[in-house]
Amino acid sequence: MPGPTEVQQARRDNGPLTDRGATRKRALLDAARRVFERKGFIETRVTDVVKEAQVSHGTFYTYFDTKEAIFSAVAHDMVDAMLAAMSTPIPTTGFDERIHDLVRRFVQAYRPHAKMIGLIEQVGTFSPEMRELRLDIRDTFVRRTKRGIQRLRAGGVLTDPDMDVEYIAEVLGAMLEYTCYLWFCLDKNFDEDRLVDTLAFVWRKTLRAAR
């Protein structure tokens, strides 16, 4: 297949230049997600996405050069949606309530995206490119947790000077992510209130050790 034209490359690098272009790209992303969730990554072809979006192959290649490229875009789009759902104002309540609210909001943000998250876990084993995608998404959530812990330290809630903020963020995040993966992606049966209470309990106990 010949390489992209200058116009195509500019649109891939800089995004659509018009409202119409933005609408077309949005339609491709939405269509790709539906197809990926229905057929899986391996079985999905560019032709499937084009058909689902009701656009031409030329339109697809204006914005994306491969199936992997649009999968990556869909994945990052999903992360943005999750972060937006989690970024509600912090309630003016005590430490325990704030931690419980954080866990509850993560669970609620994860649930509608479980199929796509499950696919991201799978494709992370396929190639170095897909592995980097998975790790990049993971790091997004770890950085968010790290910032939250640093705010607690800055506010005097956590006072231990030897607290390893980075690794605590990694470990607490891994616990939360993998529990949701078992729950929503592998269909392990959990009682929601009991599980959220338990996850929040572990977070609180871990962070209180640094108080």
Side-chain angles (χ1 to χ4, degrees):
M1 179 182 296
T5 66
E6 289 186 15
V7 172
Q8 285 177 325
Q9 191 61 56
R11 286 179 179 171
R12 292 176 187 175
D13 293 341
N14 303 319
L17 302 178
T18 65
D19 290 343
R20 184 182 180 188
T23 299
R24 284 180 172 177
K25 185 175 182 180
R26 181 74 262 163
L28 277 167
L29 289 169
D30 291 344
R33 177 162 178 169
R34 291 193 299 270
V35 176
F36 283 130
E37 290 186 346
R38 186 169 66 242
K39 301 188 67 173
F41 178 80
I42 295 176
E43 297 299 323
T44 294
R45 301 170 299 166
V46 169
T47 298
D48 300 320
V49 175
V50 166
K51 183 178 179 180
E52 182 80 15
Q54 298 182 343
V55 299
S56 67
H57 278 76
T59 298
F60 178 92
Y61 288 112
T62 294
Y63 301 106
F64 305 101
D65 55 352
T66 62
K67 177 178 74 171
E68 288 77 8
I70 197 168
F71 184 87
S72 178
V74 169
H76 285 291
D77 194 50
M78 179 211 72
V79 171
D80 289 342
M82 287 185 67
L83 291 174
M86 294 166 61
S87 298
T88 57
I90 297 175
T92 56
T93 55
F95 174 76
D96 290 1
E97 291 78 11
R98 291 171 67 181
I99 296 300
H100 194 277
D101 179 66
L102 178 153
V103 172
R104 176 76 71 181
R105 282 188 285 123
F106 183 87
V107 167
Q108 292 173 344
Y110 191 109
R111 193 194 313 266
H113 302 290
K115 281 189 178 181
M116 193 64 201
I117 293 170
L119 287 175
I120 293 169
E121 291 288 343
Q122 292 175 8
V123 302
T125 65
F126 291 171
S127 68
E129 179 186 6
M130 293 293 100
R131 184 167 61 251
E132 287 303 312
L133 168 65
R134 174 65 186 95
L135 291 174
D136 182 48
I137 291 171
R138 161 92 177 132
D139 287 345
T140 298
F141 289 101
V142 171
R143 288 193 298 271
R144 185 180 186 278
T145 302
K146 183 177 176 180
R147 289 194 299 270
I149 296 173
Q150 288 170 334
R151 283 195 297 269
L152 290 173
R153 292 185 75 179
V157 178
L158 306 178
T159 58
D160 184 352
D162 298 323
M163 179 182 185
D164 193 330
V165 175
E166 180 182 359
Y167 272 45
I168 288 178
E170 287 277 3
V171 171
L172 291 177
M175 177 189 70
L176 194 52
E177 286 184 43
Y178 191 65
T179 300
C180 285
Y181 177 74
L182 291 173
W183 187 6
F184 298 122
C185 299
L186 300 186
D187 296 324
K188 183 172 177 58
N189 186 32
F190 286 118
D191 176 271
E192 180 166 345
D193 289 338
R194 184 179 169 193
L195 183 62
V196 169
D197 288 348
T198 302
L199 289 167
F201 173 82
V202 175
W203 271 63
R204 291 195 306 270
K205 285 293 187 181
T206 301
L207 292 175
R208 275 204 179 107
R211 295 182 74 172

